[in-house]
Amino acid sequence: MTTRRGDDTMERELENLTENINDIKTLINKFNEKLDNIEKRLTRLEKVDSIEHRVAVNQIDLSDIKESLQRIEETKSSEIQNINRRLDSHLVKIAKAEEEIIMIKSK
């Protein structure tokens, strides 16, 4: 039999979890907007050195975001795991872009 106090605690925990999930969704939306802006800027750049610098800076930003999400990952929800997979995917894309830049420079 649950008590009113137990119900209040569960309700607070559920509210906190919901707030955390909403915060994560907001963060991902902002992250996607930033990625779109980054992609637009990269397509307009002509100098390989400039592209390489921006990719390195953005990769650091992505790593920071991923680390922050991992700290929030107390709930082990599938949404957070999906976010981590997407971040890993973006980091791989940036690493591939860096490799292409290095190959272009070596020509």
Side-chain angles (χ1 to χ4, degrees):
M1 178 177 215
T2 59
T3 63
R4 178 71 178 143
R5 176 184 264 183
D7 290 343
D8 289 343
T9 302
M10 290 287 287
E11 191 172 313
R12 275 195 306 268
E13 287 179 12
L14 184 58
E15 287 174 6
N16 286 340
L17 180 58
T18 301
E19 286 177 18
N20 285 341
I21 289 173
N22 287 336
D23 288 345
I24 290 170
K25 287 179 181 178
T26 301
L27 179 63
I28 289 300
N29 287 335
K30 288 180 182 178
F31 174 73
N32 284 331
E33 289 173 10
K34 285 185 179 183
L35 275 180
D36 288 340
N37 288 335
I38 290 167
E39 288 176 2
K40 288 176 186 174
R41 280 189 260 145
L42 285 175
T43 57
R44 288 189 301 242
L45 293 175
E46 294 181 12
K47 295 183 179 178
V48 174
D49 288 340
S50 181
I51 292 173
E52 183 178 12
H53 172 73
R54 290 179 186 270
V55 168
V57 168
N58 291 328
Q59 188 169 16
I60 291 168
D61 291 343
L62 288 174
S63 297
D64 291 343
I65 292 170
K66 182 178 178 187
E67 288 173 14
S68 296
L69 286 173
Q70 286 174 334
R71 286 193 296 269
I72 296 172
E73 192 183 7
E74 296 171 0
T75 61
K76 299 286 183 188
S77 77
S78 61
E79 287 184 27
I80 294 175
Q81 291 172 358
N82 185 36
I83 290 167
N84 278 334
R85 283 192 295 273
R86 289 179 67 192
L87 287 171
D88 284 339
S89 173
H90 288 297
L91 287 170
V92 168
K93 287 177 185 177
I94 289 175
K96 286 181 181 179
E98 282 185 310
E99 288 177 2
E100 289 177 12
I101 289 168
I102 291 170
M103 288 176 21
I104 289 169
K105 277 184 156 181
S106 67
K107 288 184 178 182

